[in-house]
Amino acid sequence: MPLETPARIVRELTSRGYNADREAVTLLASAPDPVGALDRAVESAPEDALKLSADHVRRTLDGNGDESDDPSVSTGNADVSSGPRDGASPVETEGSASESTQGRSDGAGVTTSRSVADRSVAIDGDVTDESTGTGEYEDFVSVFRDRFKRLSGQLRGRVNARPTNAVAEMPGGSEAAIVGMISDIRSTASGHWLVELEDTNGTFPCLVMKDREFADVVDELMLDEAIAVEGTLADDAGILFVDSLHFPDVPRTYSPSTADRHVQAALISDVHVGSQEFLADAWSRFADWLHTEEAEHVEYLLVAGDMVEGVGVYPDQDEELDIVDIFEQYEQFSEHLKEVPGDMEIVMIPGNHDAVRLAEPQPGFDEELRSIMDVHDARITGNPSTVTVEGVSVLMYHGVSLDEVIAELPDGKASYDDPHKAMYQLLKKRHVAPQYGGHTRIAPEEKDYLVIDEVPDIFHTGHVHKLGFGKYHNVTAINSGCWQAQTAFQKSVNIDPDAGFAPIVDLDTLDVTVRKFV
Ligand code: D5M
Ligand code: FE
Ligand code: ZN
């Protein structure tokens, strides 16, 4: 087997029961005879060693008189396009690591290990082991009360709201404000909009006239989301004529936190190992690139769900399975994860193809799956979770509700081509899955884990297999693409996936660069 790329070295080492730190892998890959160097390094490794160190590899290479003063390293001579980009089609950067090696004259110029000392990762809002839901009616009541309490809290500062039953007692013609969850939206015969708001005391009908300047946000409204309205009561006090409408939203002045040093994170999702369409070559090119000097600052890898293709997720899915056993799919996924540098910090949440409960919030993988995926000490957390990486908070959510936002809203406001715009809507509604009872399955819990309490610095989703990113009120929204080519279903509905791209975020500037590996 030719061993010229880091990922192949890693695979060969794992097959012999070894891990190696990143610099060791680079040294082996750039040795004049990688096969011989690897053999010698393994043979001379201390008996109890599980991991080959760079020093050990260097000694092995030295001892054999290899040209260790001038190791040539594979740098991956890719062009970089950086800077934030709002929408548009995937970019253009050939991020794939070059197969050829490139000599360096500075001798010591091998990639150094990533600086583990500065790392920090904290996780919030994880439902794993906290689930209280029993599926009883009372759970639905409590999850909705909690949603209302938290979102109305965000809205109350904005308007002087009264409970619906108190508004019903006010004299006709009074000014009034209501905070409520939308229980119904209807257009009237004359083209106006009747929006019914519900709070813990009852419901109240609110009328948005079609000629009002804010009437164009009515098509953004989804059932069960919380909003505030101000207006004037009709003469008989039976309806409120809306004068202004407010979403919980992200303040326009939101100022995101950034890392104190130059460090980057790769944000990916939807690997779909086990599917016939899984792009193993593109994945290996990505993993190879992570071993290059160009990627030396990429210290974090966030994976937003759909590690594997799963079984029985969609009708006729089995016809496109490469691996039919779910555990074997995770074992294979784990093999692919081993290709990425061992000194990267990895965080993973599940998606709708993963073997955890489908209803959101989804707990992280159970012990059995964790033990299969315990490569590189990856952190496993629920969907959604807020992961704070070196001070930068990243709200990770797989993204099933994006299908719903895209289906319900007009194209200009949310579409598969601009998935980040659908993400903006979730930020505006401060809830990752606003609508209950539709396409997105929601499990009732004592508390609503799906409310976006704190504004994140980065919002990371996947699921729709389209790449898109942009800023919403200074929050960086990134929908990662996927590692699965178009499936028969996607072909039948004209979904053209963005497969084999990795968005890379600079955590110190929040700039995004997209790397292409296909
Ligand atoms: O879903 C990837 C995207 O494709 C997401 O937008 C849902 C859609 N999709 C894929 N297969 C189906 C079927 N069979 N029915 C409905 N929608 C589908 P993912 O869940 O990541 O495969
Ligand atoms: Fe997916
Ligand atoms: Zn999915």
Side-chain angles (χ1 to χ4, degrees):
M1 178 177 80
L3 279 176
E4 69 276 16
T5 70
R8 291 204 185 107
I9 296 271
V10 173
R11 244 172 280 145
E12 183 62 23
L13 283 172
T14 7
S15 74
R16 300 190 195 192
Y18 287 95
N19 251 317
D21 68 30
R22 182 177 122 109
E23 193 182 351
V25 172
T26 318
L27 283 167
L28 289 171
S30 54
D33 167 23
V35 183
L38 185 142
D39 283 344
R40 290 195 301 277
V42 168
E43 273 161 28
S44 60
E47 225 156 70
D48 53 349
L50 294 171
K51 192 170 182 179
L52 299 186
S53 71
D55 279 347
H56 172 71
V57 171
R58 219 175 274 118
R59 277 195 301 275
T60 315
L61 294 173
D62 278 351
N64 287 279
D66 284 329
E67 303 152 55
S68 56
D69 313 344
D70 186 17
S72 53
V73 281
S74 170
T75 58
N77 50 358
D79 294 320
V80 186
S81 95
S82 63
R85 176 183 70 102
D86 198 4
S89 55
V91 247
E92 306 58 49
T93 355
E94 288 293 340
S96 43
S98 155
E99 289 280 315
S100 64
T101 57
Q102 198 175 301
R104 290 179 54 108
S105 53
D106 61 354
V110 289
T111 10
T112 50
S113 283
R114 293 162 163 93
S115 47
V116 178
D118 296 324
R119 304 260 178 91
S120 73
V121 176
I123 291 173
D124 270 318
D126 176 13
V127 71
T128 315
D129 300 329
E130 305 287 330
S131 176
T132 53
T134 57
E136 299 292 321
Y137 174 75
E138 288 72 30
D139 292 336
F140 288 95
V141 176
S142 53
V143 76
F144 272 91
R145 276 183 189 269
D146 186 61
R147 176 191 296 205
F148 184 67
K149 190 173 95 205
R150 287 153 72 199
L151 290 176
S152 64
Q154 295 183 13
L155 286 158
R156 271 182 212 290
R158 231 95 42 86
V159 296
N160 184 18
R162 287 163 189 259
T164 47
N165 58 339
V167 172
E169 300 301 317
M170 289 168 77
S174 316
E175 303 274 303
I178 299 173
V179 170
M181 298 198 304
I182 299 177
S183 53
D184 192 25
I185 310 170
R186 258 173 297 151
S187 62
T188 67
S190 38
H192 306 303
W193 298 96
L194 196 62
V195 178
E196 193 173 65
L197 290 185
E198 180 172 5
D199 65 8
T200 44
N201 298 285
T203 63
F204 204 86
C206 306
L207 194 78
V208 178
M209 308 285 276
K210 64 180 174 197
D211 50 355
R212 297 304 299 252
E213 67 285 5
F214 53 88
D216 64 339
V217 300
V218 172
D219 60 15
E220 290 174 28
L221 299 178
M222 290 175 80
L223 292 179
D224 307 321
E225 75 170 290
I227 58 166
V229 294
E230 287 172 304
T232 316
L233 283 173
D235 289 344
D236 66 356
I239 196 166
L240 183 81
F241 294 109
V242 178
D243 292 323
S244 68
L245 191 155
H246 310 264
F247 293 90
D249 222 326
V250 172
R252 281 179 185 279
T253 52
Y254 180 69
S255 167
S257 300
T258 52
D260 296 335
R261 62 186 183 110
H262 181 50
V263 56
Q264 299 176 307
L267 271 52
I268 63 161
S269 69
D270 299 276
V271 191
H272 289 266
V273 172
S275 157
Q276 286 169 10
E277 284 82 19
F278 166 59
L279 297 171
D281 290 346
W283 177 269
S284 292
R285 279 193 284 272
F286 169 51
D288 278 346
W289 175 74
L290 288 172
H291 285 274
T292 67
E293 199 170 9
E294 205 174 33
E296 70 177 316
H297 298 293
V298 187
E299 300 189 23
Y300 297 91
L301 175 67
L302 308 187
V303 195
D306 286 359
M307 315 293 146
V308 300
E309 174 64 9
V311 281
V313 181
Y314 292 125
D316 300 326
Q317 185 205 20
D318 49 328
E319 288 166 23
E320 289 185 75
L321 286 182
D322 188 31
I323 305 171
V324 294
D325 181 90
I326 185 80
F327 294 104
E328 274 174 41
Q329 291 183 359
Y330 281 102
E331 272 155 23
Q332 196 53 43
F333 170 72
S334 179
E335 289 304 308
H336 289 291
L337 203 56
K338 282 180 190 162
E339 294 173 28
V340 315
D343 55 0
M344 286 185 78
E345 202 68 62
I346 303 173
V347 184
M348 309 194 283
I349 64 166
N352 59 312
H353 284 251
D354 286 299
V356 303
R357 82 166 180 203
L358 189 56
E360 299 173 8
Q362 293 180 286
F365 302 108
D366 68 13
E367 284 310 319
E368 190 171 8
L369 294 174
R370 275 171 206 247
S371 68
I372 296 176
M373 289 188 282
D374 65 354
V375 197
H376 301 336
D377 282 332
R379 282 166 213 254
I380 285 168
T381 177
N383 168 39
S385 285
T386 298
V387 181
T388 303
V389 180
E390 300 201 17
V392 180
S393 62
V394 185
L395 171 59
M396 294 178 71
Y397 169 61
H398 177 60
V400 168
S401 69
L402 296 174
D403 281 330
E404 212 151 15
V405 174
I406 291 169
E408 304 241 333
L409 270 57
D411 259 15
K413 292 184 176 175
S415 67
Y416 285 106
D417 286 334
D418 291 324
H420 52 288
K421 291 193 183 163
M423 299 173 75
Y424 297 171
Q425 291 291 332
L426 300 180
L427 289 168
K428 191 171 184 175
K429 300 174 193 309
R430 295 288 287 266
H431 198 280
V432 298
Q435 190 156 306
Y436 182 80
H439 171 75
T440 314
R441 273 168 248 200
I442 296 179
E445 296 285 348
E446 236 164 61
K447 104 173 217 216
D448 191 346
Y449 287 82
L450 308 174
V451 170
I452 306 176
D453 266 331
E454 303 284 335
V455 177
D457 301 319
I458 299 175
F459 184 23
H460 175 204
T461 60
H463 179 65
V464 294
H465 294 205
K466 295 295 277 185
L467 177 72
F469 60 91
K471 302 252 188 219
Y472 179 73
H473 298 184
N474 306 323
V475 176
T476 304
I478 303 177
N479 195 78
S480 23
C482 61
W483 300 87
Q484 181 187 38
Q486 193 181 46
T487 63
F489 168 83
Q490 289 165 349
K491 194 168 181 182
S492 74
V493 294
N494 262 329
I495 298 179
D496 185 15
D498 293 326
F501 296 91
I504 312 289
V505 193
D506 281 15
L507 296 174
D508 50 341
T509 62
L510 302 178
D511 282 350
V512 180
T513 309
V514 175
R515 292 269 160 186
K516 180 181 172 203
F517 299 99
V518 278

